[in-house]
C-alpha cells in the first residue's frame, strides 16, 4: 500500500511541474504578446507622425514657392517704379555744373 501511495505522488509531481511550466510559458507568451502589441502601436503612431510631418513639409515648400514668386513680382514692380520716378534717377553732376 505504501509503495502505491508513493508512486502516485511521484506521478503527480511531474504533472504539477508540467502545469507550472506551462503556466510560466503562457505568462511569458502573454508578456511577449503585450510587448509586441505595444511596439506595433508605437510603430504605427510614428508612421502617422511621419506622414503628418511629410505633408507639412510639402505644404511649407509649396508656400515658399508662392512667396518667392510674389517677391519676384514685387521686386520687379518696385524696380519699375524706381526707374519711372525722377527721385531715383541718376544725376550727372558734371552737366549741372556747366
Amino acid at each position: 500500500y505504501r509503495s502505491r501511495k508513493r508512486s502516485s505522488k511521484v506521478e503527480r509531481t511531474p504533472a504539477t511541474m508540467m502545469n507550472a511550466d506551462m503556466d510560466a510559458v503562457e505568462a511569458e507568451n502573454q508578456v511577449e504578446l503585450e510587448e509586441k502589441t505595444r511596439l506595433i502601436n508605437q510603430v504605427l503612431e510614428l508612421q502617422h507622425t511621419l506622414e503628418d510631418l511629410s505633408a507639412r513639409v510639402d505644404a511649407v515648400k509649396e508656400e515658399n514657392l508662392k512667396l518667392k514668386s510674389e517677391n519676384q513680382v514685387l521686386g520687379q514692380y518696385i524696380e519699375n517704379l524706381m526707374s519711372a520716378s525722377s527721385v531715383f534717377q541718376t544725376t550727372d553732376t558734371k552737366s549741372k555744373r556747366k
Side-chain angles (χ1 to χ4, degrees), residues 51-89:
E51 288 171 357
D52 292 344
L53 288 172
S54 181
R56 178 72 178 130
V57 165
D58 290 341
V60 168
K61 282 181 179 179
E62 188 176 318
E63 182 68 19
N64 187 32
L65 288 174
K66 286 179 185 177
L67 290 173
K68 277 184 178 181
S69 176
E70 288 177 13
N71 282 343
Q72 286 177 343
V73 169
L74 287 173
Q76 187 62 46
Y77 177 73
I78 290 169
E79 196 175 299
N80 290 342
L81 284 176
M82 288 173 58
S83 65
S85 171
S86 61
V87 174
F88 296 104
Q89 295 295 321

Side-chain angles (χ1 to χ4, degrees), residues 5-20:
K5 232 179 180 181
R6 284 185 184 163
S7 65
S8 66
K9 281 184 181 180
V10 171
E11 289 172 12
R12 287 183 193 164
T13 303
T16 304
M17 289 175 74
M18 192 187 294
N19 285 340

Side-chain angles (χ1 to χ4, degrees), residues 11-63:
E11 289 172 12
R12 287 183 193 164
T13 303
T16 304
M17 289 175 74
M18 192 187 294
N19 285 340
D21 289 343
M22 288 175 60
D23 289 343
V25 168
E26 282 183 34
E28 189 175 314
N29 286 342
Q30 182 65 27
V31 167
E32 191 175 303
L33 181 63
E34 288 172 359
E35 180 66 12
K36 283 181 182 178
T37 302
R38 186 186 69 77
L39 288 172
I40 289 169
N41 288 336
Q42 189 176 10
V43 166
L44 291 173
E45 183 179 335
L46 289 171
Q47 282 179 335
H48 293 308
T49 300
L50 181 59
E51 288 171 357
D52 292 344
L53 288 172
S54 181
R56 178 72 178 130
V57 165
D58 290 341
V60 168
K61 282 181 179 179
E62 188 176 318
E63 182 68 19

